[in-house]
């Protein structure tokens, strides 16, 4: 079984891959364009933030993704 730390890192890696796939090379530009806190978003991508469901849903809404899509595609 994976640790919480490993799961948060995997979620962060998935968020980063989606961001890059959408054409954003920088987490900062993505965060600024979508009214997200830069440091908070950076911590999400690094797997270092205490990820809340609200935070995840907000980022997924920006990407027009459902939870099912997020967790089923390459997670």
């Amino acid at each position: 079984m994976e640790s919480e730390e490993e799961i948060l890192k995997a979620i962060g890696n998935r968020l980063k891959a989606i961001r890059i796939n959408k054409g954003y090379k920088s987490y900062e530009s993505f965060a600024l364009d979508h009214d997200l806190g830069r440091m908070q978003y950076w911590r999400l991508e690094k797997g270092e933030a205490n990820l809340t469901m609200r935070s995840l849903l907000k980022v997924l809404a920006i990407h027009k993704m459902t939870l099912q899509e997020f967790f089923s595609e390459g997670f």
Side-chain angles (χ1 to χ4, degrees):
M1 182 171 176
E2 292 180 279
S3 71
E4 289 178 18
E5 186 174 300
E6 291 170 321
I7 293 168
L8 289 174
K9 289 214 181 280
I11 290 171
N13 288 336
R14 178 87 167 106
L15 291 173
K16 182 178 181 178
I18 293 167
R19 170 182 55 81
I20 291 169
N21 190 45
K22 298 282 182 168
Y24 285 93
K25 293 179 182 179
S26 163
Y27 77 88
E28 289 178 314
S29 60
F30 177 80
L32 290 172
D33 283 356
H34 298 288
D35 196 31
L36 301 169
R38 288 179 304 129
M39 290 307 297
Q40 177 65 17
Y41 186 75
W42 176 80
R43 286 192 290 270
L44 288 177
E45 282 196 1
K46 291 290 187 185
E48 296 177 2
N50 185 10
L51 180 68
T52 65
M53 186 59 79
R54 187 175 304 243
S55 297
L56 180 59
L57 290 174
K58 184 175 182 177
V59 173
L60 294 183
I62 291 167
H63 292 301
K64 297 179 175 56
M65 291 184 83
T66 65
L67 281 171
Q68 294 81 4
E69 291 168 326
F70 180 77
F71 285 110
S72 68
E73 296 175 16
F75 187 79

